[in-house]
Amino acid sequence: MIRVARGATGFWGQGDDPVPQVDVVAFKTACHVAARSIGATVGEVTSAGVTPSFHTALITAPGIRSTVLCHEVLPVVAFATRSPQAGVPLADFTSPPAWADAFERGGFRLLDVEELSMPLAVVDTSELAEAELEQVRYWRPSTVGELMFNWWD
């Protein structure tokens, strides 16, 4: 069983200590290092805001088009086959590509499809703050990926 870390939803309650934010510059740097390693380029990097709970970057090269998702709070990175659409739950996660080790060297943990697809019903959510659990009850995500990479407001 995996444990979902506090901050995974991107929420915290009034009076709670705010959760630290991921260093967006470190994410951008890791994207550029990864792209250079395969002769690719980094497209626009979109920062998280009120929604979504994640930053995105598009890495492209001939035959390669990879959307990189970086959680706003936790230093984790996931990959998707398509760019996210506002308000639409992400469901097309892919395994980290061979060139993703640049993110690990940059201090990020790579999330695999198995973990992101894990049903929330079999995950330990005991570390989540009460405000996060309220959001989970309201939005009813079915997987770890839906919980972590969300458009909740």
Side-chain angles (χ1 to χ4, degrees):
M1 176 180 284
I2 66 165
R3 177 177 292 151
V4 179
R6 180 176 183 266
T9 65
F11 283 84
W12 59 91
Q14 186 175 16
D16 289 348
D17 289 335
V19 289
Q21 303 293 297
V22 164
D23 182 355
V24 179
V25 173
F27 171 60
K28 290 178 183 178
T29 300
C31 287
H32 286 282
V33 170
R36 274 193 305 274
S37 75
I38 57 170
T41 59
V42 177
E44 181 180 353
V45 177
T46 305
S47 295
V50 173
T51 64
S53 65
F54 53 92
H55 313 290
T56 63
L58 181 63
I59 295 180
T60 58
I64 297 173
R65 181 178 174 86
S66 188
T67 300
V68 186
L69 311 170
C70 176
H71 195 272
E72 177 182 26
V73 173
L74 304 175
V76 296
V77 171
F79 294 84
T81 56
R82 292 177 293 174
S83 296
Q85 294 179 336
V88 178
L90 297 168
D92 57 348
F93 294 105
T94 62
S95 296
W99 47 264
D101 60 338
F103 293 97
E104 290 180 308
R105 289 192 310 274
F108 296 93
R109 184 170 74 83
L110 302 176
L111 299 174
D112 62 30
V113 175
E114 183 177 296
E115 183 175 0
L116 292 163
S117 301
M118 190 166 289
L120 207 53
V122 299
V123 173
D124 179 358
T125 58
S126 64
E127 285 189 19
L128 296 180
E130 183 54 38
E132 292 182 286
L133 293 171
E134 286 177 22
Q135 294 298 319
V136 169
R137 287 188 292 271
Y138 180 81
W139 293 101
R140 300 179 185 262
S142 60
T143 65
V144 170
E146 289 177 13
L147 178 137
M148 293 184 73
F149 298 96
N150 66 65
W151 300 91
W152 306 345
D153 57 1

